[in-house]
């Protein structure tokens, strides 16, 4: 009887182990993709657990509110024209996959997010310039010069992705922070002083191979040129990066996950408050700008795309000062150096100084998201009286303004 009981117990244990080992085979007749992927009333595919358009709008609004210093009852001076170099770490430290950053190697994830950063940067700062510097093999090379062309920067990042993919995990060499800061600093030192000079470092290395002493040689020159350095560490924080960021008035971040990396990069699109020592003896300067006229001809003519590249095009923008033709706006005239802009560019630059009034969302009705109706391209504002008797403006009868005395809102600011 004892042996029979032992054999029965062993059989039950083996059956449980066998059931547990093959539990992944039993799906209960339900496919995961059938429950995860759904379809709405208009036939659009919705992934459950994913981020909806309303969530994206709320997250973007929250990010802008965190960087909005004007709501804290303090006068903030911001630089409307920015000159930024982004230093990309393409050394051997970024050629490995990171479980925190899914979707490829570190350099692949960074390059993909920088594509989104470029679009957001020029959208938030239409008058600013952006350039890229690649760091690998212990050297620093300017990938793109400072320009206001998003297309040029995006194509350059695509070429870097192809080169790193061809080199594989064995390429890249060492990382040199000092060489990168020196190269970017020399270029920024020649930029006008009415704009902010900034360096953004995306670093995945745990050590820096420098030809000299960064803190005693390069850092004083950066401070003398009023260059702000901000660093994002993909792996771990380096003391030299924190020291440079603190001394120059920049910020330092350590990547927690892919969402945090994306939010940190997009957070750098908002102009930071100007440094105190930059404006102690600061006097307002007049920045000359020109509003070019758009011309179109039947015969293609030479048009300046960049300082060194000319193209044949039928449509161009004529500089009002030297009558040179440029391919896109905004940009600095290649011949006379006049900054060529349009009135919408100036208007979009002022929204950092005068942000949209904060508002509150109405509670959902019948389980419907209040942001579901925010899909049209035109505003639909209706006024209603609250319990206190004050008028409140409602957008599509779903979103109301909570600012005192404010009854209008820019509809485009509520969208992506």
């Amino acid at each position: 009887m004892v042996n029979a009981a032992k054999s029965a117990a062993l059989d039950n244990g083996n059956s449980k182990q066998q059931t547990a080992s093959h539990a992944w085979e039993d799906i209960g007749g339900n496919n995961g993709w059938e429950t995860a992927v759904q379809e709405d009333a208009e036939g659009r595919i919705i992934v459950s657990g994913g981020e909806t358009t309303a969530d994206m709008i709320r997250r973007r609004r929250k990010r802008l509110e965190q960087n909005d210093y004007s709501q804290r009852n303090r006068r903030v001076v911001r630089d409307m024209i920015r000159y930024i170099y982004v230093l990309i770490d393409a050394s051997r430290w970024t050629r490995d996959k990171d479980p925190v950053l899914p979707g490829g190697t570190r350099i692949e994830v960074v390059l993909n997010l920088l594509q989104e950063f470029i679009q957001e940067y020029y959208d938030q700062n239409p008058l600013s310039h952006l350039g890229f510097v690649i760091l690998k093999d212990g050297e620093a090379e300017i990938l793109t010069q400072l320009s206001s062309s998003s297309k040029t920067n995006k194509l350059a990042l695509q070429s870097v992705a192809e080169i790193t993919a061809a080199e594989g995990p064995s390429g890249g060499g060492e990382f040199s922070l000092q060489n990168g800061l020196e190269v970017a600093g020399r270029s920024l030192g020649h930029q006008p002083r009415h704009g902010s000079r900034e360096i953004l470092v995306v670093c995945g290395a745990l050590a820096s191979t420098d030809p000299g002493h960064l803190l005693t040689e390069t850092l004083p020159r950066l401070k003398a040129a009023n260059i702000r350095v901000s660093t994002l560490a993909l792996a771990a924080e380096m003391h030299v990066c924190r020291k440079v960021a603190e001394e120059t008035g920049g910020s330092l971040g350590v990547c927690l996950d892919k969402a945090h990396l994306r939010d940190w990069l997009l957070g750098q699109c908002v102009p930071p408050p100007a440094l105190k020592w930059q404006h102690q003896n600061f006097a307002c300067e007049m920045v000359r700008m020109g509003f070019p006229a758009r011309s179109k001809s039947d015969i293609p003519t030479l048009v300046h795309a960049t300082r060194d590249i000319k193209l044949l095009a039928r449509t161009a923008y004529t500089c009002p000062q030297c009558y040179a033709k440029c391919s896109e706006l905004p940009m600095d005239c290649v011949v006379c150096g006049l900054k060529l802009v349009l009135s919408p560019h100036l208007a979009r630059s002022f929204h950092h100084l005068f942000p949209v009034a904060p508002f509150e969302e109405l509670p959902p009705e019948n389980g419907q998201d209040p942001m579901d109706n925010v899909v049209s391209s035109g505003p639909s504002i209706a006024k209603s009286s609250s319990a206190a008797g004050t008028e409140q403006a409602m957008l599509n009868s779903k979103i109301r303004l909570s600012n005192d005395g404010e009854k209008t809102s820019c509809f485009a600011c509520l969208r992506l």
Side-chain angles (χ1 to χ4, degrees):
M1 295 293 294
V2 176
N3 293 332
K6 289 183 178 180
S7 62
L10 290 175
D11 293 340
N12 292 334
N14 293 333
S15 63
K16 290 181 179 180
Q17 292 179 358
Q18 185 176 5
T19 303
S21 61
H22 297 285
W24 59 273
E25 297 180 353
D26 185 15
I27 59 176
N30 295 325
N31 293 325
W33 62 270
E34 291 181 352
T35 58
V37 180
Q38 300 178 0
E39 187 176 352
D40 61 0
E42 299 180 1
R44 295 175 295 188
I45 295 178
I46 300 176
V47 180
S48 62
E51 192 176 37
T52 62
T53 304
D55 295 334
M56 296 174 64
I57 295 176
R58 292 189 181 99
R59 182 165 52 81
R60 181 175 185 267
R61 194 168 62 221
K62 181 179 179 181
R63 185 177 68 251
L64 295 177
E65 289 177 355
Q66 290 176 351
N67 295 312
D68 186 18
Y69 293 86
S70 62
Q71 296 183 9
R72 302 178 186 178
N73 297 325
R74 46 182 296 195
R75 182 178 179 271
V76 179
V77 178
R78 296 178 187 267
D79 294 306
M80 296 177 56
I81 302 178
R82 306 170 68 189
Y83 301 94
I84 297 184
Y85 266 115
V86 180
L87 275 57
I88 306 175
D89 181 9
S91 62
R92 62 181 179 88
W93 300 92
T94 59
R95 304 303 175 94
D96 299 330
K97 292 186 177 181
D98 193 339
V100 178
L101 300 174
T105 60
R106 290 176 178 173
I107 185 63
E108 292 174 353
V109 175
V110 169
L111 292 177
N112 291 333
L113 291 179
L114 284 178
Q115 295 279 357
E116 186 177 355
F117 168 79
I118 293 173
Q119 188 68 30
E120 184 71 13
Y121 176 80
Y122 285 116
D123 182 65
Q124 298 286 334
N125 310 272
L127 302 181
S128 301
H129 292 67
L130 181 66
F132 287 91
V133 177
I134 185 171
L135 307 177
K136 66 175 184 176
D137 297 326
E139 300 177 351
E141 178 184 359
I142 293 182
L143 191 62
T144 58
Q145 295 285 349
L146 290 172
S147 67
S148 56
S149 175
S150 60
K151 183 178 180 180
T152 302
N153 291 321
K154 289 183 177 181
L155 292 177
L157 293 185
Q158 292 178 5
S159 64
V160 173
E162 296 175 356
I163 294 174
T164 54
E167 291 177 349
S170 59
E174 296 297 332
F175 169 77
S176 178
L177 179 61
Q178 184 180 15
N179 287 334
L181 295 179
E182 288 284 351
V183 170
R186 292 193 195 101
S187 180
L188 290 174
H190 298 286
Q191 303 305 321
R193 67 172 186 171
H194 58 254
S196 65
R197 306 168 182 176
E198 305 174 37
I199 297 177
L200 178 60
V201 185
V202 182
C203 170
L206 298 178
S208 178
T209 305
D210 300 327
H213 201 286
L214 190 151
L215 297 180
T216 59
E217 298 176 4
T218 306
L219 181 58
R221 288 196 287 267
L222 294 175
K223 296 178 64 177
N226 293 329
I227 298 177
R228 187 200 307 258
V229 181
S230 301
T231 306
L232 176 63
L234 301 179
E237 174 188 322
M238 287 196 298
H239 172 71
V240 64
C241 294
R242 174 170 289 277
K243 186 68 175 178
V244 172
E246 292 177 351
E247 292 292 331
T248 58
S251 59
L252 178 71
V254 179
C255 176
L256 302 179
D257 51 22
K258 190 174 181 178
H260 177 258
L261 173 60
R262 179 181 180 275
D263 292 340
W264 195 91
L265 286 176
L266 297 183
Q268 300 301 314
C269 297
V270 180
L275 301 176
K276 292 183 179 180
W277 58 80
Q278 291 184 2
H279 295 273
Q280 287 180 352
N281 299 322
F282 178 77
C284 295
E285 298 182 0
M286 183 186 69
V287 180
R288 299 183 72 250
M289 296 185 181
F291 297 90
R294 185 174 181 268
S295 60
K296 186 176 181 180
S297 61
D298 297 334
I299 301 176
T301 58
L302 283 177
V303 177
H304 294 278
T306 60
R307 188 174 297 275
D308 302 323
I309 300 177
K310 295 182 180 180
L311 302 175
L312 288 174
R314 291 185 173 89
T315 303
Y317 298 92
T318 305
C319 175
Q321 181 169 279
C322 65
Y323 300 101
K325 294 183 178 181
C326 302
S327 60
E328 58 183 0
L329 296 177
M331 69 176 300
D332 295 340
C333 181
V334 177
V335 178
C336 63
L338 181 67
K339 183 174 289 295
L340 304 178
V341 298
L342 296 176
S343 56
H345 298 148
L346 294 176
R348 284 161 52 192
S349 299
F350 273 96
H351 77 278
H352 295 296
L353 302 178
F354 308 99
V356 178
F359 57 89
E360 298 178 357
E361 296 184 24
L362 291 175
E365 298 178 1
N366 300 326
Q368 185 180 8
D369 196 325
M371 298 292 289
D372 289 343
N373 290 344
V374 186
V375 294
S376 62
S377 59
S380 175
I381 298 179
K383 295 182 180 180
S384 65
S385 57
S386 60
T390 59
E391 287 189 350
Q392 295 177 335
M394 295 189 298
L395 186 61
N396 289 343
S397 300
K398 293 295 181 182
I399 299 177
R400 64 184 180 187
L401 299 177
S402 61
N403 191 26
D404 297 337
E406 188 71 27
K407 297 184 177 61
T408 59
S409 175
C410 177
F411 183 79
C413 294
L414 307 179
R415 305 183 65 194
L416 292 177

